[in-house]
Amino acid sequence: MNAILFATLALLGKEIVLQPADTVDVAATGCTSEAVLYVNGFRSASAQPAADGSVVFPSVRLHRGVTDIRVESGAESDSLSWRYGETESEAPGESPAWRENPRDAWFRDARFGLFIHWGIYSIPAKGEWGFARGVMPPDEYKALVKSFNPTNYNPAVWARLAKAAGMKYVVFTTRHHDGFCMFDSHFTDYKITNTPYGKDVLKMLVDAFRAEGLRIGFYHSLPDWTHDGYVDLETPEGIRTGKCGAYDPKRHAALRELVRNHVNQLTTEYGKVDLMFFDYVSKYKAEEDYFDRAALIGICRRNQPDMLVNDRLSYFKDGDAPDYDYYTPEVAVPNRPPLVRGTLRTWETCATMNDHWGYAKDDHDFKRVETIVAGLVGCVSRGGNLLLNVGPTELGEFPPESIACLRGLADWFAVNGEAVAGCGPSEYTPPFGCAYTQKGDALYLNVLVPPMGDVLLPGLRGKVRSATLLRTGEAVPQTHFWGFETLRPDELRLHPQGLVAGDVVKLELSGR
Ligand code: GLC
């Protein structure tokens, strides 16, 4: 049991919401030796305890970058972290417009993409954070460069699977946080072309996916756990010891230069790149411009003027953050699009198929095809995209469960794809258990939960020319009377038979 407590923060252990500029008083009890106060992992004060074991530290001002404080004394330690309140939300009754951005038209039509997390972490096969979480000693991990040999890699197969599933773009991990480059970097030896495989897998992937007509996106990690200029608690050392090394401006400058060089290489040597997915700024660096946003965005705009750039160069998205092209929530369908400085923003949720991004051989917790279809139409119904992830194996193959899932999606898409591609949200309110997507006068009723009988569509009485179940091509009868009538005057009552989750009823509106 910890002997130390934050006496003045009686909320310890609960989630607390604080506002920037709040101050907290930090006090500890039960200290037997010098007590040290850490703010965001950095030592900020120390004091000897009074005879009763208590220590009172100076107040900590919680500017937004401060996300946790910790006190250590001897072998004891205790800590507290919190989140900040929402920064922007609509006033009641207000309906903000979408921001105009000519760069993103294709992306908002595409709606569905394939994320690929592939790197040297597929060998220990415990996900892409394995290195940080200590799957093997650092030197052994780094030495995997001598054995990575994905002889079964054939990106044409991946591209065909993605295309059939209705995906219109791919986002590939050119480098993840472990620093290993899946392209022929000119700036490090820690790269795919120095493995026994020896080929530039990125180049092969770009060619294969372009050949199938998919657009190309590059994921690129900003953190680099193998670079001594990256000092953070979210690193192998930070996770192991709860501490990180000293900040060194020269090494930090070298890290920034490496990222700039990589971004420059990626945007000049692989033809047209349609989007850049930067990942990420840690909460410990929330208040800083750690990677030099302006320089990186400048390189992107100069080399690829039409390329979309995501939002993860900033931890906070308001205030001084640049106007990113799109926003990237994770593994959830947001209820509303992001609202940034008064306009709704283009967004894409990324999601795992199981519980890991990188290959994890023991993780068989794959989502059902129906679940993913519901997530996809859920995103589109809220004006967003879904980027669905696959983590290939050490040999360069998609896991069998992922292939089965993509094939299931392809079956769904072959019949129902028109409810997704080119569609967006509808102004109509969907009935219980359904989501709407819409393209012009075609309104798609996406069945998430099979109805127990008829389906009542608010606001559509007299407005629907035809209702067709896409799976059978047959008309769904509309009825206007049923005994014990409880219909409201604006409701249309559909009388479908045998609907299943994932079914889509196309409603042709007769003009509004
Ligand atoms: C997070 C994780 C990372 C994953 C990414 C996907 O940033 O650090 O492992 O690549 O999310 O969006």
Side-chain angles (χ1 to χ4, degrees):
M1 196 180 77
N2 286 336
I4 299 175
L5 284 176
F6 291 99
T8 51
L9 284 174
L11 290 162
L12 183 63
K14 291 190 198 152
E15 183 182 48
I16 53 174
V17 181
L18 293 164
Q19 293 305 324
D22 283 350
T23 350
V24 294
D25 295 321
V26 184
T29 57
C31 304
T32 47
S33 56
E34 184 192 44
V36 182
L37 170 70
Y38 292 89
V39 178
N40 274 7
F42 292 98
R43 184 184 173 109
S44 75
S46 65
Q48 289 300 332
D52 64 357
S54 66
V55 172
V56 177
F57 287 104
S59 299
V60 179
R61 198 179 84 74
L62 301 177
H63 65 77
R64 294 197 324 164
V66 175
T67 52
D68 66 66
I69 49 183
R70 189 170 84 244
V71 176
E72 280 184 10
S73 175
E76 304 290 350
S77 90
D78 210 345
S79 63
L80 185 69
S81 62
W82 52 84
R83 67 180 175 89
Y84 289 105
E86 293 300 322
T87 49
E88 247 182 294
S89 57
E90 291 91 333
E94 197 187 340
S95 37
W98 287 88
R99 188 202 25 184
E100 305 270 328
N101 180 3
R103 269 192 294 271
D104 72 8
W106 73 265
F107 185 72
R108 297 182 60 163
D109 270 355
R111 292 306 185 204
F112 196 22
L114 176 67
F115 212 173
I116 300 179
H117 274 72
W118 193 34
I120 209 155
Y121 41 81
S122 59
I123 304 178
K126 290 202 182 315
E128 80 291 353
W129 273 74
F131 180 29
R133 299 195 175 123
V135 282
M136 52 174 68
D139 289 345
E140 260 177 58
Y141 188 92
K142 288 180 202 153
L144 294 174
V145 66
K146 297 194 198 112
S147 52
F148 194 22
N149 194 10
T151 44
N152 294 351
Y153 178 50
N154 181 356
V157 172
W158 297 0
R160 283 196 292 271
L161 281 166
K163 185 179 182 176
M167 293 160 160
K168 307 287 190 247
Y169 58 103
V170 62
V171 180
F172 181 77
T173 46
T174 57
R175 178 177 86 140
H176 207 270
H177 311 330
D178 64 5
F180 183 78
C181 290
M182 292 292 277
F183 64 104
D184 190 16
S185 165
H186 303 319
F187 308 98
T188 174
D189 292 335
Y190 194 43
K191 57 177 178 179
I192 188 70
T193 42
N194 280 344
T195 63
Y197 190 65
K199 294 184 230 169
D200 185 338
V201 293
L202 179 65
K203 171 95 187 47
M204 295 161 73
L205 180 125
V206 166
D207 292 345
F209 277 78
R210 274 218 198 92
E212 290 294 338
L214 278 85
R215 299 227 183 202
I216 304 296
F218 291 166
Y219 168 106
H220 199 73
S221 174
L222 304 164
D224 183 342
W225 297 328
T226 52
H227 196 290
D228 61 5
Y230 188 64
V231 177
D232 193 87
L233 282 179
E234 289 177 6
T235 54
E237 187 198 350
I239 291 174
R240 199 178 64 250
T241 63
K243 296 187 184 121
C244 44
Y247 176 76
D248 177 326
K250 270 208 189 116
R251 296 202 297 251
H252 181 208
L255 170 76
R256 285 172 155 216
E257 191 185 351
L258 178 68
V259 179
R260 284 199 303 273
N261 283 336
H262 275 158
V263 173
N264 190 54
Q265 184 182 352
L266 288 168
T267 52
T268 49
E269 295 188 2
Y270 293 86
K272 185 165 159 41
V273 184
D274 297 291
L275 70 83
M276 182 62 80
F277 189 122
F278 288 117
D279 190 36
Y280 69 102
V281 173
S282 113
K283 67 181 178 195
Y284 302 107
K285 313 218 175 296
E287 201 80 358
E288 299 169 51
D289 182 9
Y290 196 75
F291 296 99
D292 196 349
R293 303 188 271 253
L296 295 175
I297 295 176
I299 294 168
C300 292
R301 297 289 182 242
R302 184 186 70 221
N303 295 342
Q304 300 274 345
D306 297 330
M307 182 174 75
L308 300 177
V309 177
N310 78 332
D311 60 331
R312 294 198 188 172
L313 282 168
S314 305
Y315 184 86
F316 295 112
K317 310 300 154 73
D318 56 348
D320 296 333
D323 250 341
Y324 296 111
D325 291 310
Y326 73 107
Y327 291 73
T328 54
E330 243 181 55
V331 207
V333 178
N335 290 312
R336 305 273 299 135
L339 180 66
V340 180
R341 279 169 250 152
T343 48
L344 302 180
R345 300 307 173 97
T346 297
W347 64 271
E348 167 204 71
T349 238
C350 47
T352 49
M353 265 190 196
N354 52 358
D355 298 325
H356 288 83
W357 300 97
Y359 180 59
K361 63 173 180 302
D362 299 327
D363 179 358
H364 300 288
D365 186 22
F366 281 80
K367 286 155 205 160
R368 295 156 57 99
V369 174
E370 293 79 15
T371 308
I372 292 171
V373 166
L376 172 61
V377 298
C379 288
V380 180
S381 74
R382 285 149 171 77
N385 290 18
L386 175 66
L387 184 66
L388 180 66
N389 184 71
V390 174
T393 66
E394 157 183 14
L395 285 177
E397 292 171 319
F398 282 2
E401 293 101 325
S402 301
I403 294 176
C405 179
L406 289 169
R407 293 212 168 113
L409 288 166
D411 291 344
W412 181 85
F413 195 83
V415 174
N416 303 296
E418 63 177 280
V420 166
C423 287
S426 169
E427 71 195 55
Y428 290 105
T429 306
F432 172 72
C434 298
Y436 275 143
T437 53
Q438 187 165 356
K439 181 168 31 188
D441 283 342
L443 176 63
Y444 297 95
L445 178 75
N446 297 275
V447 177
L448 308 176
V449 180
M452 64 176 189
D454 286 358
V455 183
L456 312 181
L457 311 179
L460 287 178
R461 169 93 60 103
K463 292 189 179 167
V464 173
R465 212 156 12 108
S466 67
T468 313
L469 177 59
L470 292 182
R471 180 164 50 81
T472 59
E474 279 169 20
V476 178
Q478 308 179 23
T479 65
H480 298 292
F481 178 78
W482 195 263
F484 313 110
E485 189 61 275
T486 54
L487 279 187
R488 292 184 174 232
D490 64 307
E491 282 174 341
L492 166 65
R493 183 169 186 135
L494 287 185
H495 184 58
Q497 298 288 321
L499 289 185
V500 295
D503 270 347
V504 177
V505 178
K506 179 178 184 178
L507 305 165
E508 280 186 289
L509 300 177
S510 46
R512 284 162 284 161

